[in-house]
Amino acid sequence: MKKTIGLTYDIKEDHRLQEGQPKDTYAEFDPKHVIDNVVTSLEQCGYKVIRIGNVHSLLKQVGNLPVDIVFNLAEGIGSRNRESQVPMILEMNGIPYIGSDALTLGLTLDKIIAKKIFISEGVPTPRFIELKSAEEIERNMDHLQFPLIVKLRYEGSSKGLDEGARVANIDELRNRVGKIVNTYNESVLVEEFIRGTEFTVGIIGNENPEALPIVQVQIDNKLDLQDMFYTFARISSDKLKYICPPKITDELYKKIEDCAIKAYKSVECRDFGRVDFRVDDKGNPYVLEINPLPSLSNEDTFMITARVLGMTFPEMLDKIITTGLKRYGIA
């Protein structure tokens, strides 16, 4: 008999931008239609689904949840610990859940902490520094080479990334850091920009995680992106396309796949996740970040790879759910 699944999530339509907030403030949250599709797909697999909602809704219901397991898609709101809110509450109440635990979600949302772990585990990642203000630039730039890219330290969904994020000299860097820190009230990650190609890899599993088919990013009909990169504006534009299988050599495919699994294991992801890459002109892959709460929209990695594998989206979700159920021994 199929299990009863509780679904935790954050929906964009539940929030309105306040005056002075950046337009991408709620970029990480799912549109309602994405959650509706997840629910419908799980029901098609035979599961009973109970919509729990966000962390505040969970707190109201946590003492009386008639579920076998929770499928956590909630991003949370507030600090760099926001993705850890739902898992921690579930753990405190002894409720099983699909997805990574609070520690993994916290350290991967913070790109700088994640990169420190990658380095310690031998996972290639671009060289970087953290800056809290433009005034810190001169005394921290010794080991970095332009061009650089400026990113928010603990945000996803390309928040804070537009064409100006890539900087070619010290003046551009100073202006960009000042702008982003003042707009988002958050320190920034400054890393060497990798000119070349871009890829993303979905992964499912625990002890022996499985890499799904690699997806290549195409922008403006170009696969060799060079100075182009994934931005917030391109997420919903027709200039961005995902190509799967990628147009790369078998050797590079294997290097990216192995690196993705190594990154996944290094931060102890559970059940499913996604690893994002840039590959330089010499064929060297670099992990940009890992996302244990990847998008499950019809346009994103997991749906694309499902089609390539000859699976339906419900079958892909069932594979993720079954992976988590087996981890708890309740499949």
Side-chain angles (χ1 to χ4, degrees), residues 219-231:
I219 299 175
D220 291 342
N221 294 314
K222 294 179 181 178
L223 291 174
D224 186 8
L225 304 182
Q226 291 300 305
D227 290 336
M228 292 188 291
F229 58 96
Y230 200 102
T231 64

Side-chain angles (χ1 to χ4, degrees), residues 34-312:
V34 171
I35 299 302
D36 289 343
N37 186 47
V38 170
V39 171
T40 300
S41 297
L42 291 174
E43 290 174 341
Q44 288 174 6
C45 295
Y47 296 106
K48 179 182 178 182
V49 182
I50 294 176
R51 298 185 190 230
I52 298 170
N54 61 29
V55 65
H56 300 293
S57 296
L58 173 62
L59 284 170
K60 293 175 183 177
Q61 304 172 59
V62 72
N64 186 30
L65 274 178
V67 301
D68 296 300
I69 199 164
V70 169
F71 189 12
N72 176 41
L73 302 178
E75 299 282 349
I77 194 164
S79 71
R80 65 176 178 173
N81 298 307
R82 61 185 180 275
E83 289 185 356
S84 304
Q85 293 164 355
V86 165
M88 187 56 68
I89 292 167
L90 294 171
E91 287 180 17
M92 290 173 67
N93 288 273
I95 300 171
Y97 59 95
I98 306 294
S100 293
D101 68 4
L103 177 60
T104 293
L105 290 171
L107 65 87
T108 54
L109 182 60
D110 189 324
K111 295 182 180 70
I112 287 177
I113 300 299
K115 285 169 76 73
K116 288 178 179 179
I117 292 175
F118 293 155
I119 291 168
S120 72
E121 294 293 312
V123 176
T125 190
R127 293 189 296 181
F128 72 98
I129 57 172
E130 176 198 5
L131 293 175
K132 296 178 181 177
S133 70
E135 287 70 33
E136 296 181 344
I137 290 174
E138 274 73 10
R139 63 177 179 269
N140 286 284
M141 286 293 297
D142 291 348
H143 67 293
L144 295 188
Q145 294 184 349
F146 288 101
L148 305 171
I149 188 165
V150 180
K151 302 177 179 180
L152 288 165
R153 177 170 177 169
Y154 44 87
E155 304 293 346
S157 301
S158 296
K159 286 176 67 172
L161 280 180
D162 57 32
E163 299 296 341
R166 180 185 176 279
V167 296
N169 55 60
I170 199 76
D171 289 333
E172 289 182 6
L173 175 61
R174 188 179 294 109
N175 291 336
R176 185 68 185 186
V177 170
K179 176 183 176 181
I180 295 300
V181 170
N182 290 334
T183 300
Y184 293 90
N185 297 312
E186 185 178 316
S187 61
V188 295
L189 163 70
V190 178
E191 67 182 10
E192 292 184 341
F193 181 81
I194 306 300
R195 302 180 78 244
T197 49
E198 191 159 326
F199 304 87
T200 186
V201 186
I203 298 178
I204 295 177
N206 292 302
E207 290 83 5
N208 297 296
E210 166 195 358
L212 300 175
I214 296 172
V215 176
Q216 187 167 10
V217 176
Q218 176 180 291
I219 299 175
D220 291 342
N221 294 314
K222 294 179 181 178
L223 291 174
D224 186 8
L225 304 182
Q226 291 300 305
D227 290 336
M228 292 188 291
F229 58 96
Y230 200 102
T231 64
F232 174 72
R234 285 183 169 130
I235 291 177
S236 57
S237 77
D238 58 3
K239 295 183 178 182
L240 176 72
K241 291 184 179 179
Y242 294 117
I243 308 299
C244 186
K247 301 180 185 300
I248 56 177
T249 65
D250 291 344
E251 180 184 7
L252 179 55
Y253 193 104
K254 185 71 164 56
K255 284 168 71 174
I256 294 173
E257 186 178 61
D258 290 347
C259 193
I261 291 174
K262 190 172 184 179
Y264 185 89
K265 288 182 173 180
S266 75
V267 293
E268 299 186 3
C269 278
R270 299 194 319 197
D271 303 335
F272 74 118
R274 192 193 74 227
V275 187
D276 298 334
F277 287 87
R278 293 281 292 196
V279 176
D280 68 17
D281 295 336
K282 297 179 181 178
N284 299 309
Y286 295 87
V287 172
L288 301 182
E289 62 179 287
I290 185 166
N291 189 348
L293 279 177
S295 171
L296 294 177
S297 76
N298 278 332
E299 299 80 30
D300 220 290
T301 307
F302 282 85
M303 186 63 232
I304 293 167
T305 53
R307 287 194 290 263
V308 171
L309 292 169
M311 302 170 67
T312 64

